[in-house]
Amino acid sequence: MNTPKRYLVPNDYMADPAVHVFNDRLYIYPSHDWESGIPENDNGDHFNMKDYHVYSTDDVMHGEIVDHGVVLEVKDIPWAGRQLWDCDVTFKDGKYYMYFPLKDKNDIFRIGVAISDKPEGPFVPQPDPIRGSYSIDPAIFNEGDQYYMYFGGLWGGQLQRYLDNKALECSTFPADDQPAIPSRVVRLSKDMLQFAEEPRAVVVLDQAGNPLSAGDNEHRFFEASWMHKYQDKYYFSYSTGDTHNLCYAIGDNPYGPFTYQGIILTPVVGWTTHHAIAEYKGKWYLFHHDCVPSSGKTWLRSLKVCELQYDDNGKIITINGLDE
Ligand code: FUB
């Protein structure tokens, strides 16, 4: 089955969507790719992003996509080194909180917070990153008065440099038959500016109840965590990075463990694959990116959306990443 898709921002390069509904309107928080001239490498130096835009719409597949302009820039973040990667935004008590990964002046990824009175920004950054934060790809899941951040990414995302939330002397990857390096989840403090606890591992189990192994590249976590809830179950989804799948696993609570279910999106044109899943006006959507408009330049990605369907058992029906 061909799933119709829409490019959301045809006149610019946007990637890594986070998506939320605020005040009955759908807001998109992407990374902003540009041609910075940095050569491509496994460290991701070519993803040299320096600002964020915010987009919104009231009709996902056909309506106007409003560009709210630049809402945060590297040059305005006091602790900044380089590389603004995937961000996310949530709402609490009249304020909108943006969480963003950025390398500090020592070239270490930390996660920062910026605040706005409006979902479309602009966002004012805090003077320092979150204490104890590391790696990339923060995704916020809100349930009642609790806010959870999922984060982490391998290779350029530096997650392999940490064990039990402590920095290691050097990068360490488990042997292929050992449990894969997991994403992390942490509850946020009441003021939304710090972690309220030590980050925990997000464990993804196979159907036999064993953690997915580091050598299971087709299915194990790599980066791009996302959490959504469907029919009282918690759907943890993520990219497998070097095998370019978007996969998901289901659990009974935000901390997991989660049991692997399948592929949401098969590989797209490009290297990275990264997504958000959201319900709006009674339909579910998958937001993601690919590199078709830039003719395969992996650092110039374009935002896309399509409908996402579940079967009667709550399984997500796999979407072909090459569908137009
Ligand atoms: O955009 C830079 C990085 O590429 C993101 O943080 C990853 O998830 C991947 O999409």
Side-chain angles (χ1 to χ4, degrees):
M1 187 181 75
N2 186 289
T3 308
K5 296 195 175 157
R6 176 187 190 191
Y7 281 108
L8 291 162
V9 186
N11 59 344
D12 207 343
Y13 294 114
M14 299 283 162
D16 304 334
V19 175
H20 296 281
V21 178
F22 297 123
N23 311 320
D24 298 328
R25 197 165 169 85
L26 186 129
Y27 287 85
I28 306 167
Y29 301 94
S31 305
H32 184 192
D33 287 354
W34 67 295
E35 183 58 88
S36 72
I38 307 274
E40 192 171 8
N41 60 24
D42 283 351
N43 214 25
D45 287 342
H46 48 303
F47 297 112
N48 190 27
M49 295 86 95
K50 54 185 173 43
D51 63 24
Y52 294 121
H53 284 234
V54 173
Y55 295 87
S56 71
T57 187
D58 61 6
D59 180 351
V60 175
M61 293 308 286
H62 305 288
E64 182 190 4
I65 308 296
V66 176
D67 179 0
H68 297 282
V70 175
V71 299
L72 180 65
E73 294 184 75
V74 167
K75 69 176 177 53
D76 295 329
I77 300 169
W79 54 275
R82 59 180 179 140
Q83 294 183 291
L84 265 184
W85 285 11
D86 153 75
C87 70
D88 198 3
V89 170
T90 194
F91 172 77
K92 184 180 181 186
D93 295 341
K95 299 268 185 224
Y96 294 84
Y97 295 86
M98 171 180 274
Y99 297 87
F100 59 89
L102 175 70
K103 283 182 180 163
D104 64 14
K105 296 184 195 307
N106 297 316
D107 233 24
I108 307 293
F109 268 116
R110 307 282 178 206
I111 297 173
V113 191
I115 304 172
S116 178
D117 294 331
K118 294 177 290 183
E120 68 269 29
F123 291 86
V124 177
Q126 291 291 293
D128 298 298
I130 294 176
R131 279 191 299 281
S133 66
Y134 56 92
S135 199
I136 60 165
D137 289 356
I140 310 298
F141 176 70
N142 168 222
E143 186 162 62
D145 60 357
Q146 305 294 344
Y147 292 78
Y148 303 88
M149 179 191 291
Y150 297 81
F151 70 92
L154 302 186
W155 295 16
Q158 304 180 341
L159 192 58
Q160 67 280 359
R161 298 191 192 176
Y162 296 85
L163 186 65
D164 298 333
N165 302 316
K166 305 238 170 6
L168 300 167
E169 287 285 319
C170 57
S171 296
T172 306
F173 290 94
D176 279 0
D177 61 351
Q178 294 300 303
I181 295 176
S183 172
R184 310 289 202 266
V185 57
V186 62
R187 203 162 41 78
L188 296 175
S189 59
K190 286 201 180 349
D191 67 4
M192 303 295 277
L193 302 179
Q194 301 294 338
F195 293 162
E197 60 185 357
E198 287 280 302
R200 310 179 191 191
V202 178
V203 177
V204 179
L205 305 171
D206 64 19
Q207 294 291 332
N210 302 310
L212 296 189
S213 64
D216 187 0
N217 297 47
E218 293 284 333
H219 309 114
R220 60 89 175 93
F221 168 80
F222 186 100
E223 63 186 359
S225 299
W226 188 256
M227 170 60 65
H228 75 279
K229 205 171 168 185
Y230 178 73
Q231 293 184 343
D232 288 333
K233 295 283 184 193
Y234 296 81
Y235 285 59
F236 173 67
S237 50
Y238 54 92
S239 164
T240 62
D242 54 347
T243 53
H244 319 291
N245 293 316
L246 287 180
C247 293
Y248 75 108
I250 293 180
D252 294 323
N253 69 78
Y255 288 117
F258 301 90
T259 302
Y260 180 84
Q261 301 294 319
I263 293 177
I264 300 171
L265 184 74
T266 62
V268 295
V269 172
W271 199 96
T272 68
T273 187
H274 189 129
H275 67 301
I277 294 170
E279 186 183 23
Y280 188 54
K281 297 186 175 175
K283 289 188 170 171
W284 284 89
Y285 296 96
L286 175 73
F287 296 80
H288 69 97
H289 63 235
D290 72 18
C291 299
V292 172
S294 71
S295 305
K297 291 196 178 74
T298 58
W299 60 97
L300 296 177
R301 301 164 293 179
S302 293
L303 269 193
K304 260 177 143 172
V305 66
C306 64
E307 275 193 47
L308 177 136
Q309 314 274 357
Y310 302 87
D311 72 13
D312 293 343
N313 299 314
K315 284 236 175 196
I316 294 175
I317 297 174
T318 301
I319 298 165
N320 184 344
L322 300 180
D323 280 354
E324 293 294 305

